[in-house]
Amino acid sequence: MKRLLQLLSAVLLFPFLTFSQKVYNMEDYGVRPGSTRNISGKVQKALEKIVADSEGKAFTISFAKGIYHFYPKQSFIKEYYISNHDQTENKSVGIALENLENVTLEGNGSEFIYHGTMLPISLVNSKSCTLKNFSIDFANPQISQVSIVNNDSQKGITFEVAPWVKCRISKDNKFESYGTGWSVKPGTGIAFDGNTRHLVYRTSDLSINLSGIKKIDDRTFLAPNWKDIRLVVGTIVALRDYGRPAPGIFISHSNNSALKNIKVHYAYGMGLLAQMSENLNLDSFNVCLRGDDDPRYFTTQADATHFSGCKGVVNSVNGLYEGMMDDAINIHGTYLKIVSRLDDKTFVGRYMHPQAWGFDWGYKNDSVQFVKSNTMEIVGDVYTIADIQPYDKETVKGAKEFKIIFNRSVEGVDIESDAFGIENITWSPEVYFADNIIRNNRARGSLFSTPRKTIVENNLFDHTSGAAILLCGDCNGWYETGACRDIVIRNNKFINALTNMFQFTNAVISIYPEIPNLKEQVKFFHGGKRGAITIEDNIFEMFDAPVLYAKSVDGIIFRNNVINKNNEFKPFHWNKHRFLLEKVTNVEID
């Protein structure tokens, strides 16, 4: 605890120390609010001049308060490989901040509106930079919102399209939404209650057939092949695909980054994706609607915030996360699969998931460990990287494989008989996630997969639809590391999770590592000491049974928690146990 508090203090204070910063007003460079015209070109030229003028000294980029519109044309074009996103080629970036130190982007309450498919803001290879006081939105999101106006079990569903959605009937007679440089034929969706904004009970991911569509008037369509009696009149449906080309904010290879008072209203990906970065401080970073009267019901296409291969401390406080199509926060590393053993000290590891490759995995002197994929057991000792190089490419950019040389011979890793992954434990952060609100979102509330100290406290998890908290680990599908060794979950309130079923949602708190052969596992995956996972002083407001599910854990304490039963929904979960434990030892439930 002392170590976490020391690191946390450093992360909180450092980005906000007062530097003698020169202020560059964007108005002086022709970047002014109030017009719907494309500002991308002027922003690009202004930033180039400002960086050249600053001569490496600290400075502030200040936008006059107002509304700014960014289009792909004349924007920064950057080659980025972004974890857990579609690995498309060049990105159109609205504001690209690279190779900077002690720089502040001050929005002064401005609204940054984007068009087409863009990456709004990037912060790359930078130190001690702060982003604050602005919002990010898109004029025409790739998610199409519709309202059910009639539901006939024989004739199909009639729906009205929201006013901002551009749509048409495609040549193959399907519903198609479109915008600047993109089009989507949605095949799935999420249903929201028109009054409460909660996800509709027991609907999960909708299967939607919009073929044979018929146009009734400019905004109303009949879908004769879309039949679902659960969707009553007035239900709001977010029609979507599974694309995620870019997050709202991308942070990579940066240290001591701070994000303060930011709102992301939409991104065709995650709200924030940070990778291979050290010390990140989020204070009032929100992925949210534009208030209670916002006609939209959805926010981001995927997670609100996501941290892949980061270290130091991830501090996330005072945030509002709602309406996103995945979790509020996900923290993990990435397992490489061992595909070749060149000698006793040298291995080739490969990125396996199609949305995670092309960027650094580790560096010389990093500490790593091997895991047996079938049982998720640690094999051998902790080893040190003596050298690491891309193996299938000349540079790290775009690489899927790395040749890794260790400081000594590796024992117990026989890739001829079993599959193995490798985990970089140096690039794993301590976490403080507190005083946040997570509500009305798809899938789960939060995911934590780090061996270092993690505190989750004073949060409100309100109708997260799936599990509220997931502790995972998977070297077979998602390839997201790793085991939790020291996590405290306390003073949180959980309101009616589990109204829907999604992956890993076995209870309100679901400890669910993906272990293909649990029967033959000898070593436990999570934990390793008394109280490694401590759940205390929380309030559970629930309509169904399962509070805690745990698999392969050594050391759980569940104490001083209050469980209140309500009748808001009818119980339906397959798990009828308050506590369902599989291969768990050293458990205290009080």
Side-chain angles (χ1 to χ4, degrees):
M1 177 69 75
K2 184 177 180 181
R3 169 66 175 161
L4 178 59
L5 292 175
Q6 289 173 339
L7 285 171
L8 186 58
S9 297
V11 174
L12 287 170
L13 292 175
F14 186 82
F16 300 113
L17 292 176
T18 301
F19 295 95
S20 178
Q21 290 191 338
K22 182 175 180 179
V23 177
Y24 291 93
N25 294 306
M26 294 295 278
E27 283 188 303
D28 296 338
Y29 298 84
V31 179
R32 298 183 179 88
S35 172
T36 58
R37 292 182 179 179
N38 182 15
I39 204 72
S40 296
K42 290 184 177 180
V43 168
Q44 181 183 25
K45 292 178 181 179
L47 291 180
E48 290 172 350
K49 291 179 180 178
I50 290 169
V51 170
D53 180 73
S54 68
E55 298 180 340
K57 297 178 182 178
F59 63 89
T60 294
I61 304 163
S62 181
F63 284 81
K65 184 176 181 179
I67 300 175
Y68 299 82
H69 286 262
F70 295 80
Y71 291 77
K73 187 177 181 179
Q74 299 179 345
S75 65
F76 291 93
I77 303 299
K78 297 292 182 178
E79 182 185 6
Y80 292 145
Y81 290 87
I82 304 176
S83 182
N84 293 82
H85 283 74
D86 301 334
Q87 300 298 34
T88 54
E89 296 181 354
N90 293 339
K91 313 289 186 186
S92 297
V93 186
I95 301 174
L97 306 173
E98 296 186 352
N99 306 309
L100 302 175
E101 186 169 357
N102 297 329
V103 170
T104 298
L105 174 64
E106 171 61 78
N108 292 302
S110 291
E111 299 178 39
F112 297 149
I113 308 297
Y114 295 82
H115 298 258
T117 301
M118 296 187 70
L119 167 53
I121 297 175
S122 64
L123 178 63
V124 177
N125 294 323
S126 297
K127 297 179 181 179
S128 304
C129 292
T130 299
L131 313 177
K132 63 179 182 177
N133 301 325
F134 59 84
S135 67
I136 290 171
D137 201 355
F138 281 71
N140 182 21
Q142 288 80 4
I143 296 175
S144 299
Q145 182 172 301
V146 304
S147 175
I148 306 300
V149 297
N150 189 43
N151 191 338
D152 188 303
S153 60
Q154 300 299 318
K155 296 181 180 180
I157 290 177
T158 303
F159 61 88
E160 182 180 3
V161 180
W164 62 84
V165 177
K166 293 182 179 180
C167 59
R168 61 197 174 201
I169 296 177
S170 66
K171 291 181 180 179
D172 56 353
N173 207 30
K174 294 181 179 179
F175 177 86
E176 182 177 48
S177 57
Y178 65 94
T180 304
W182 65 268
S183 64
V184 170
K185 296 177 184 177
T188 187
I190 289 293
F192 294 90
D193 184 291
N195 297 315
T196 65
R197 295 183 184 264
H198 304 329
L199 269 67
V200 175
Y201 168 75
R202 298 194 70 178
T203 52
S204 302
D205 285 320
L206 300 174
S207 178
I208 297 172
N209 186 345
L210 297 181
S211 62
I213 198 89
K214 299 178 181 178
K215 189 172 185 179
I216 296 175
D217 59 38
D218 286 345
R219 311 304 298 172
T220 309
F221 295 82
L222 170 63
N225 296 311
W226 181 17
K227 295 176 181 178
D228 192 333
I229 60 173
R230 300 169 299 177
L231 307 181
V232 301
V233 173
T235 300
I236 303 298
V237 179
L239 302 176
R240 58 191 288 260
D241 64 356
Y242 290 103
R244 48 171 79 171
I249 297 176
F250 173 51
I251 299 179
S252 183
H253 297 78
S254 296
N255 300 338
N256 300 321
S257 304
L259 295 90
K260 172 73 173 177
N261 193 26
I262 295 172
K263 295 178 180 178
V264 178
H265 299 304
Y266 175 74
Y268 195 16
M270 298 173 181
L272 164 69
L273 188 288
Q275 67 188 31
M276 303 304 292
S277 294
E278 181 176 3
N279 293 336
L280 296 118
N281 179 34
L282 280 63
D283 189 352
S284 299
F285 181 87
N286 308 281
V287 171
C288 62
L289 304 172
R290 290 176 171 271
D292 294 338
D293 297 328
D294 192 340
R296 281 195 209 157
Y297 282 61
F298 63 88
T299 54
T300 54
Q301 170 77 330
D303 297 346
T305 65
H306 198 111
F307 302 85
S308 175
C310 294
K311 67 177 182 178
V313 175
V314 173
N315 175 66
S316 178
V317 298
N318 304 318
L320 170 61
Y321 304 106
E322 61 182 347
M324 58 278 183
M325 297 294 117
D326 233 315
D327 322 304
I329 185 171
N330 187 349
I331 296 179
H332 65 86
T334 303
Y335 290 112
L336 298 183
K337 182 178 180 179
I338 300 300
V339 295
S340 178
R341 180 168 184 156
L342 304 182
D343 58 45
D344 288 347
K345 294 182 180 180
T346 309
F347 292 76
V348 176
R350 177 187 295 160
Y351 277 123
M352 296 302 295
H353 196 275
Q355 291 178 324
W357 53 273
F359 50 89
D360 287 298
W361 180 82
Y363 304 96
K364 183 179 178 179
N365 296 323
D366 284 354
S367 297
V368 304
Q369 60 189 10
F370 292 85
V371 61
K372 192 174 180 179
S373 300
N374 198 33
T375 59
M376 294 298 289
E377 294 173 288
I378 302 299
V379 177
D381 203 351
V382 174
Y383 298 90
T384 301
I385 296 178
D387 190 35
I388 180 171
Q389 299 292 335
Y391 192 66
D392 61 335
K393 296 281 186 179
E394 292 185 0
T395 63
V396 169
K397 277 190 175 182
K400 292 184 178 179
E401 295 182 350
F402 293 89
K403 182 175 76 172
I404 308 171
I405 303 173
F406 298 101
N407 62 330
R408 55 194 170 93
S409 296
V410 175
E411 305 294 335
V413 179
D414 181 6
I415 64 173
E416 299 299 323
S417 59
D418 290 294
F420 292 87
I422 183 172
E423 175 184 5
N424 190 328
I425 53 180
T426 294
W427 287 86
S428 56
E430 300 189 26
V431 180
Y432 186 67
F433 186 72
D435 299 300
N436 300 291
I437 298 173
I438 304 95
R439 65 189 183 193
N440 302 335
N441 64 292
R442 174 188 176 276
R444 294 154 300 265
S446 56
L447 279 71
F448 304 97
S449 298
T450 174
R452 303 188 190 277
K453 183 70 179 180
T454 299
I455 297 176
V456 183
E457 65 180 1
N458 304 325
N459 301 289
L460 172 62
F461 295 87
D462 183 3
H463 292 80
T464 53
S465 78
I469 295 177
L470 170 64
L471 312 182
C472 196
D474 178 5
C475 193
N476 296 278
W478 290 100
Y479 285 86
E480 295 182 359
T481 66
C484 293
R485 307 291 183 198
D486 189 358
I487 180 169
V488 177
I489 300 169
R490 66 188 176 205
N491 295 322
N492 303 284
K493 187 172 185 178
F494 304 93
I495 301 176
N496 287 337
L498 303 175
T499 56
N500 286 283
M501 294 299 298
F502 296 96
Q503 190 179 28
F504 310 125
T505 53
N506 285 10
V508 176
I509 297 177
S510 186
I511 305 171
Y512 194 145
E514 191 67 60
I515 305 171
N517 192 351
L518 183 63
K519 184 178 180 180
E520 294 186 13
Q521 185 193 63
V522 176
K523 303 174 185 177
F524 296 92
F525 182 74
H526 286 294
K529 64 179 181 180
R530 178 183 181 271
I533 299 173
T534 297
I535 304 165
E536 60 186 359
D537 301 320
N538 301 283
I539 297 175
F540 295 83
E541 303 282 353
M542 349 187 11
F543 68 94
D544 215 331
V547 174
L548 172 65
Y549 170 84
K551 176 168 61 175
S552 187
V553 184
D554 174 12
I556 297 177
I557 294 176
F558 186 95
R559 65 189 174 199
N560 300 330
N561 298 288
V562 175
I563 302 172
N564 295 323
K565 185 72 181 293
N566 63 55
N567 298 309
E568 184 172 341
F569 303 99
K570 183 179 179 180
F572 76 98
H573 203 286
W574 62 265
N575 180 5
K576 306 302 180 184
H577 304 276
R578 284 282 187 230
F579 307 96
L580 179 57
L581 312 177
E582 296 185 73
K583 200 177 182 66
V584 172
T585 189
N586 197 10
V587 181
E588 302 171 43
I589 297 178
D590 181 10

